[in-house]
DNA sequence: GTCTATACAGGGATAGAC
DNA sequence: GTCTATCCCTGTATAGAC
């Protein structure tokens, strides 16, 4: 049979993303992706010539998803606490459950194994995420919702670091540990209210 | 020649740790370890029968090193800020530079690939690290150096999460980003002083 | 777009000599 | 304790038929 069901690229990316999250870049094979979706490894190569291309595509789609999500959060929430809570919820929702772990963390650990394209996507992913968080921080400072003790870039990096770390550690610490840490974040305990 | 130079286990562990940090568990081979230290893969297997055993040994030694370090910090510093600064410095020293990344983060990402022994070591590593940090937190609360707004376990987990995340992200964000985040941590901006 | 077949490299692990 | 040789499997990738 010439075609079994004409796999869509999204199906391929879904499986690749799932495997990448749970096993790391060197922990899954093109064959694994094919089997999961019901085609041969040769067919996977038809859609994405190399494993590096596949990983770059997965990262690209992931990044776009995050940008859409953070843009929506920026629209839906105007206050700092609301935005932080929404970001935390987004991380918990997009990322926890079927395999936890954010692709950014995975990509950092496996950075040396990635293709140039995938490394570039990783850098962009980090820049986009911190960019949004820094924007939120700047606006919150203008509204005097948080103290201006540190620059926005550093606060954004710190917030992202905590989220990434907590997500990663949840594999040994359990989901409840992640929930506790993010609750602490969302409570705003990281950022002093001005006047104190 | 029967023996070229009688490799010590520590040499093997040094190289294995270096490779594990920089390439992840599935990103290096037993052959790589052997070549780096100057022996064949078969000889590596003589010291550590399986790759899982080797990884478990690396993690075990790493954990003991951290426990020794944190014990020393507990002795040398009595105040919260001093201890946090020392922990941050220890992370920067033990971990940044030749390959950054903490083995705990690596082990979490590659968790599914690890042997039972290595997974158990990972869990212990996490427990030991959070254990020390929680102890520091409890004592700081008693001395009223920090507010008792959250339980010690959560604060410890949060502190460790931030450190792990910042270390990981430094691969794309640069060492300066790690420095800024940890400076913010060491300043104690995470933890309100009581009475505010 | 999918398949089978295949090339080729690399990885984990073992056997047995020295 | 180290070596060489080897087994067997897996991984990436390609060629060419359907």
């Amino acid at each position: 049979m010439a075609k079994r069901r004409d796999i869509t690229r999204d199906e391929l990316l879904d499986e690749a993303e799932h495997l990448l999250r749970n096993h790391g870049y060197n922990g899954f094979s093109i064959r694994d992706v094919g089997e999961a979706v019901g085609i041969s490894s040769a067919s996977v190569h038809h859609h994405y010539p190399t494993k590096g291309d596949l990983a770059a595509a997965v990262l690209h789609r992931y990044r776009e998803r995050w940008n859409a999500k953070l843009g929506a959060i920026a629209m839906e929430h105007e206050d700092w606490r609301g935005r932080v809570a929404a970001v935390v919820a987004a991380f918990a929702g997009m990322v926890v459950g079927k395999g936890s772990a954010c692709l950014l963390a995975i990509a950092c650990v496996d950075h040396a194994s990635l293709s140039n394209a995938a490394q570039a996507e990783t850098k962009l992913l980090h820049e986009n995420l911190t960019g949004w968080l820094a924007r939120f921080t700047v606006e919150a400072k203008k509204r005097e919702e948080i103290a201006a003790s540190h620059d926005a870039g550093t606060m954004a990096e710190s917030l992202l670091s905590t989220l990434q770390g907590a997500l990663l550690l949840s594999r040994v610490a359990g989901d409840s540990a992640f929930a506790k840490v993010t609750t602490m974040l969302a409570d705003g305990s990281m950022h002093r209210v001005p006047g104190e």
Side-chain angles (χ1 to χ4, degrees), chain A residues 106-127:
Chain A
I106 307 285
C108 284
V109 166
D110 294 333
H111 197 255
S113 304
L114 300 180
S115 64
N116 289 340
Q119 287 187 356
E121 274 299 333
T122 305
K123 200 157 197 299
L124 285 173
L125 175 57
H126 174 258
E127 285 170 6

Side-chain angles (χ1 to χ4, degrees), chain A residues 4-196:
Chain A
R4 200 196 297 265
R5 65 174 168 122
D6 278 30
I7 256 64
T8 68
R9 257 138 233 253
D10 264 335
E11 286 181 76
L12 238 23
L13 294 181
D14 286 346
E15 288 302 335
E17 181 178 328
H18 182 234
L19 288 164
L20 184 54
R21 264 196 197 160
N22 287 294
H23 302 284
Y25 182 73
N26 294 303
F28 76 97
S29 70
I30 300 291
R31 273 204 263 266
D32 292 335
V33 179
E35 275 172 24
V37 87
I39 62 178
S40 68
S41 68
S43 298
V44 178
H45 278 291
H46 169 77
H47 296 282
Y48 298 97
T50 70
K51 192 182 179 183
D53 296 332
L54 176 59
V58 167
L59 285 166
H60 182 77
R61 190 186 67 160
Y62 186 75
R63 181 164 68 86
E64 288 194 321
R65 226 191 297 152
W66 265 115
N67 281 332
K69 184 69 187 174
L70 290 167
I73 288 173
M75 300 273 287
E76 289 166 18
H77 301 271
E78 292 203 334
D79 63 310
W80 167 250
R81 278 166 201 266
R83 284 177 172 178
V84 170
V87 168
V88 165
F91 263 96
M94 279 185 68
V95 139
V96 174
K98 253 202 174 293
S100 64
C102 173
L103 284 185
L104 176 55
I106 307 285
C108 284
V109 166
D110 294 333
H111 197 255
S113 304
L114 300 180
S115 64
N116 289 340
Q119 287 187 356
E121 274 299 333
T122 305
K123 200 157 197 299
L124 285 173
L125 175 57
H126 174 258
E127 285 170 6
N128 289 175
L129 291 176
T130 51
W132 280 106
L133 296 180
R135 245 166 276 150
F136 291 171
T137 307
V138 167
E139 293 183 19
K141 277 187 183 179
K142 273 188 193 149
R143 290 188 186 124
E144 298 191 331
E145 293 177 301
I146 58 176
S149 49
H150 295 275
D151 76 279
T154 301
M155 288 176 79
E157 190 76 28
S158 172
L159 182 53
L160 185 61
S161 293
T162 306
L163 283 168
Q164 295 291 332
L167 219 32
L168 216 52
L169 294 184
S170 74
R171 286 189 175 173
V172 287
D175 283 358
S176 66
F178 175 74
K180 282 180 191 166
V181 171
T182 53
T183 298
M184 194 169 145
L185 272 185
D187 280 354
S189 59
M190 277 192 74
H191 308 286
R192 286 207 198 91
V193 187
E196 287 186 351

